[in-house]
Amino acid sequence: MTAGEFTAYGGSHWVVLAVFALGTVAAVAGGRRLRNTPAAQPVSWCFAAVLLVSFLVVRFYSAAASGWSIDRSVPLQLSDLAGPVAAYALWSQSFWACALTYYWCLSLSTQALFTPVLTVDFPQRDFFAFWGLHLFVVWAAIYLTWGLGIRPNWRAYRITVAVSATWAVTAFVVNAFTGNNFGFVNRKPETSSLLDLLGPWPWYLIPEVTLVLVAWALMTWPWVHAQQRHPLTR
């Protein structure tokens, strides 16, 4: 390891995870205190503004530092789309946006917290850019779900599956015309990954999609079950 190079579960990573834990407690406690109060809306608006501004600053900085290119400048990865979607969910509390924020951020963005693909360490700008966006979108999902009490159901599941399928088709077409590989739907990543265990393209897409659908179903069932037992719970 060279100076300034990030190491998973090194000192800076543990600090980030501690910050994440503290932020999670604050998001849940703060959201519950604000729930069904007049202050909930302006606080959510402020949270949305901070998240959106952070997203735009990071995208602008990335484009300015690396030069314009489709793969780096166009936010077509789900992890990139999660930022503006979560900001809109906080701002509007729209059902579909809250649904996407719950499933995308808690199943995809959280992977970056525990298995980060990052080369630079604190205090470099890319370090703050990477962690800032991933932390904010996960906190947004936690705040909306466990704080404000906006819970998913099977309708939210269906919406997320439909939107994600549309994204996958769009990504496939864009990849085919540009040579990029958004979402790894056209080929495996060039470096080793868990997809290597799932077979060659396109067959690895079948178990990958199945795993995602099952995981999202398992993220839905406890809320539906609780709602059936306590119908008055939001």
Side-chain angles (χ1 to χ4, degrees):
M1 182 186 72
T2 59
E5 182 179 350
F6 176 81
T7 303
Y9 296 98
S12 62
H13 192 184
W14 283 113
V15 170
V16 168
L17 292 178
V19 170
F20 169 66
L22 292 174
T24 296
V25 172
V28 174
R32 289 182 175 178
R33 179 170 295 183
L34 291 168
R35 188 186 300 182
N36 300 321
T37 69
Q41 190 171 56
V43 170
S44 297
W45 286 348
C46 290
F47 193 172
V50 169
L51 199 163
L52 184 60
V53 169
S54 300
F55 172 82
L56 293 175
V57 168
V58 169
R59 297 307 304 179
F60 177 80
Y61 165 74
S62 177
S66 305
W68 190 92
S69 63
I70 291 179
D71 59 332
R72 294 182 180 180
S73 304
V74 177
L76 196 52
Q77 298 281 20
L78 280 185
S79 58
D80 294 326
L81 295 174
V85 167
Y88 183 72
L90 289 166
W91 186 272
S92 67
Q93 295 184 19
S94 167
F95 183 79
W96 69 265
C98 290
L100 295 180
T101 299
Y102 175 77
Y103 293 102
W104 284 359
C105 297
L106 293 182
S107 66
L108 302 177
S109 297
T110 51
Q111 294 182 35
L113 299 179
F114 301 101
T115 57
V117 180
L118 183 64
T119 56
V120 298
D121 206 350
F122 177 88
Q124 299 183 59
R125 284 178 294 183
D126 285 345
F127 177 88
F128 289 103
F130 178 88
W131 288 115
L133 284 185
H134 286 93
L135 289 173
F136 277 134
V137 296
V138 176
W139 282 335
I142 292 171
Y143 170 78
L144 290 167
T145 307
W146 285 273
L148 297 186
I150 302 175
R151 310 289 169 73
N153 54 29
W154 292 118
R155 176 170 167 254
Y157 176 86
R158 292 192 296 270
I159 288 173
T160 304
V161 170
V163 173
S164 301
T166 302
W167 163 83
V169 172
T170 302
F172 181 87
V173 173
V174 171
N175 291 339
F177 280 97
T178 65
N180 289 289
N181 194 22
F182 292 109
F184 306 120
V185 296
N186 292 64
R187 59 185 180 275
K188 292 181 182 180
E190 309 223 348
T191 57
S192 298
S193 70
L194 292 176
L195 296 181
D196 295 333
L197 303 176
L198 303 181
W201 185 90
W203 304 113
Y204 70 80
L205 296 173
I206 297 175
E208 181 184 21
V209 169
T210 301
L211 287 172
V212 170
L213 293 179
V214 171
W216 286 351
L218 292 175
M219 291 170 61
T220 309
W221 180 83
W223 297 114
V224 175
H225 181 66
Q227 183 69 23
Q228 291 170 344
R229 293 184 59 188
H230 306 285
L232 296 181
T233 303
R234 182 177 177 182

